[in-house]
Amino acid sequence: MREAGPTDAVDGAQPRAVVSPSSTTETAEVLRAAYEGGFRTVVRGGGSKLGLGNPPAGVDLVLSTERLGRVLEHAAGDLVVRVEAGVRLADLQAALAPAGQLLGLDPPEARATVGGVVAANASGPRRLRYGTVRDLLIGITVVLADGTVAHSGGKVVKNVAGYDLGKLFAGSLGTLGVIVEAIFRLHPAPAATAVATAEVAAPGQAGSAVRALLASALVPSAIELDWPGPDGPGTLTVLFEGIGPGVDAQAANTARLLADAGTPGARVLLDGEPGQGGEAGLGGGADRGGEATRAAAALGALPWEAGQLGVKVATGPSGLPGALATVWEVAAAHGLAARATAHAGTGVLRAGLDGGDATTLAAFVNGARERLAPAQAGLVVAEAPLEVKQGVDAWGPVGDALPLMRKVKQRFDPSGLLSPGRFVGGI
């Protein structure tokens, strides 16, 4: 344990101490002592998601998972890994790589830890292929607010007995307990990568292209959209991963499909040696200098910088063009510039807003929510200066689910000591 400093503050709330347990037993002892002392506790992994949610109602103790950093078991033959919460996702992927396997989660934050990814239910472009945390998490160990250790699931995919704590804790943002271990099912790492990328002039054109892709027999790992602003074109990128000849052919077929859907001139990027693989595609020719892998690595970058306002809009793929147009219109009405990216295949839009003061940015959030609500699209503040968060609810309306969520919080953390106030409805 050490005395907390200014860099340990969580959205302006200054803790008194930082403690870094090195095992599940030590974590339980820390939480038991915090429970008995009435200390409000926030869990910190890599710190990449500490800005998510509302400012906490107060923090006495930061519990760091930095010493929970071991890969406990990798059963390569079963495609399963058991890992402590403080392991960085990038380090876990590196540890799995020699076995030709991966965990199908790719949030953009380089510092993300396994526990943080689960607590934030974070995902990236490949959620189209692999799903989200709830699809890959098959076991979890948590420490509850009073120090009780609880387990759920195990090392086999078909766990049917008991409550599924993993799904409950995915996205709980540290409000129900501390995640100390997680068990994931893995996937084989792809042998080859191919990319088809095309310029789109309007959200409607992008929507038509995405609809055509999703209705086809093609199996992309990701469909991503990058749009710097409403005055210029956007870029639609379709990623394929698998066996070389197969992904080459799918990328080439994507170029043809996009042309038929009104988006000609798609460029196909292929890895590998010249002369290998299939036809290069339409409009731009082939590039086999590893550009496909580099293009894939660039996907999913956040459209905002630290300290800017960043919002996430959850809609469906069909609602994405309308949501993007709405964000641009509301931003323009408030004199703001908006850069947008999207997981177009799953309908998740992200926008970074530039310009304006805290009052203007808060007005944008409220105005965009009001315009998006009729389309059943929810807007969450993912990143914002503290002054903006103090003027808006980071989560927005959650409908009739709030009473049930409060009952769950009351059951797991009756004293309200874990990440108080950060979650929806002040949970």
Side-chain angles (χ1 to χ4, degrees), residues 42 81 133 186 215 338 355-356:
V42 168
V81 68
V133 169
L186 306 173

Side-chain angles (χ1 to χ4, degrees), residues 32-268:
R32 190 174 301 115
Y35 181 77
E36 292 172 354
F39 300 141
R40 297 162 296 184
T41 304
V42 168
V43 185
R44 182 176 69 198
S48 60
K49 291 291 189 182
L50 273 186
L52 182 61
N54 292 315
V59 181
D60 300 304
L61 185 68
V62 167
L63 192 155
S64 170
T65 63
E66 61 184 348
R67 296 177 66 202
L68 298 172
R70 295 175 296 171
V71 177
L72 299 170
E73 183 179 1
H74 177 200
D78 296 329
L79 286 165
V80 168
V81 68
R82 183 166 71 95
V83 60
E84 288 186 323
V87 173
R88 291 183 185 272
L89 181 59
D91 294 339
L92 175 59
Q93 302 288 25
L96 299 173
Q101 298 179 0
L102 57 78
L103 174 60
L105 297 170
D106 59 342
E109 296 86 0
R111 295 177 292 136
T113 61
V114 167
V117 168
V118 174
N121 195 24
S123 60
R126 290 171 180 81
R127 62 181 289 169
L128 178 64
R129 175 168 182 166
Y130 298 112
T132 63
V133 169
R134 290 188 172 98
D135 300 301
L136 301 173
L137 184 68
I138 60 173
I140 193 169
T141 299
V142 300
V143 181
L144 305 182
D146 63 357
T148 301
V149 177
H151 307 273
S152 176
K155 293 183 289 184
V156 295
V157 174
K158 292 185 177 179
N159 283 296
V160 296
Y163 295 108
D164 193 341
L165 284 181
K167 284 186 170 57
L168 185 63
F169 272 70
S172 62
L173 208 64
T175 57
L176 300 180
V178 177
I179 299 164
V180 289
E181 287 184 20
I183 304 174
F184 296 99
R185 66 185 180 97
L186 306 173
H187 287 83
T193 298
V195 167
T197 181
E199 188 175 278
V200 286
Q205 182 186 2
S208 297
V210 172
R211 283 197 300 274
L213 285 164
L214 294 178
S216 73
L218 299 167
V219 186
S221 292
I223 304 174
E224 293 292 294
L225 190 62
D226 181 11
W227 219 308
D231 297 330
T235 302
L236 185 69
T237 301
V238 188
L239 170 67
F240 294 96
E241 295 172 314
I243 300 171
V247 297
D248 289 1
Q250 290 204 68
N253 289 336
T254 294
R256 297 190 187 91
L257 182 146
L258 291 178
D260 293 341
T263 302
R267 186 179 182 219
V268 174

